[in-house]
Structures are given as C-alpha cells and as structure tokens.
Amino acid sequence: QVQLVESGGGLVQAGGSLRLSCAASGRTFSSYKVGWFRQTPGKQRELVAAITSGGSTNYADSVKGRFAISRDSAKNTMYLQMNSLKPEDTAVYYCAADPNLRTVYYAYWGQGTQVTVSS
C-alpha cells in the first residue's frame, strides 16, 4: 500500500506561484505513474498533470506552459510547480499514484490541499 500526503496549498493572488508537494510512505512509488488532479464543487475531477517512472509527462491543456510536474525518487516525493495562477485554478488538488503496468487506474490518493487564487 501507498499513503500520500499533499502540502503547499494556500491563498495566492492571480499571477502568482505556488508549489505543491506530495510525500509518499508505506511503499516506494518510484516505479509508479503519479499525477495531480483537481476538483471544484459541482465539477468533475480532472487530471492536471502526470509523470511516468521514465519521466514522460502530460498536462491538461488549461495548464500547459504554466504548471510543471516533477518527482524525486530518493525522497519518494512528487511536486507540482504552478506559475501564472488564475482564479479558475482554484480547487482542491490531489496527488495520486497508479501502480498498473498496462491500464490507467489511480489506486492511491492523498486527502487533498486547497488552492485559492484571488483576482
């Protein structure tokens, strides 16, 4: 099993930056795909960014060029650097891990951290 804990959320002004962290424990997830999701009340949870064990990344169109996902295997931690934040980025952000080899299913989830962007 993998336990995930997010941190780094908060209140920022539009145009500002924030860096989210996700610390994993229980088992190493260095070989897993990991990702960041976000959810706003009344809206479906969406994938923001993901990275494979090999370093391949993908991003939602809405955050391309502004957000960057990374991981540190030695620390069993992943990050989401968020720049040029917009009010529409306001959401609860969750980190997740996908242990599957040939399917896409995020089995492990953190509790989330609130990001609020003011205008």
Side-chain angles (χ1 to χ4, degrees):
Q1 299 294 309
V2 175
Q3 294 80 48
L4 305 174
V5 180
E6 303 94 338
S7 62
L11 174 65
V12 298
Q13 191 174 39
S17 298
L18 207 60
R19 187 188 191 221
L20 305 183
S21 299
C22 176
S25 63
R27 290 185 64 182
T28 179
F29 69 161
S30 60
S31 64
Y32 296 172
K33 297 182 291 292
V34 295
W36 287 94
F37 293 76
R38 66 186 180 187
Q39 188 166 31
T40 300
K43 296 183 179 180
Q44 192 171 61
R45 182 173 56 197
E46 66 173 340
L47 176 65
V48 177
I51 186 169
T52 68
S53 60
S56 297
T57 60
N58 65 275
Y59 297 90
D61 288 342
S62 60
V63 306
K64 286 181 179 178
R66 299 190 297 120
F67 291 10
I69 188 172
S70 62
R71 63 195 303 173
D72 186 334
S73 296
K75 296 181 178 180
N76 218 24
T77 301
M78 64 174 174
Y79 307 92
L80 184 67
Q81 178 66 48
M82 304 185 293
N83 300 319
S84 301
L85 283 162
K86 305 174 181 179
E88 50 263 46
D89 294 319
T90 295
V92 177
Y93 284 71
Y94 300 87
C95 63
D98 176 7
N100 301 289
L101 294 176
R102 306 189 189 283
T103 61
V104 179
Y105 180 73
Y106 287 88
Y108 307 110
W109 293 83
Q111 293 299 305
T113 185
Q114 177 71 48
V115 172
T116 302
V117 184
S118 65
S119 60

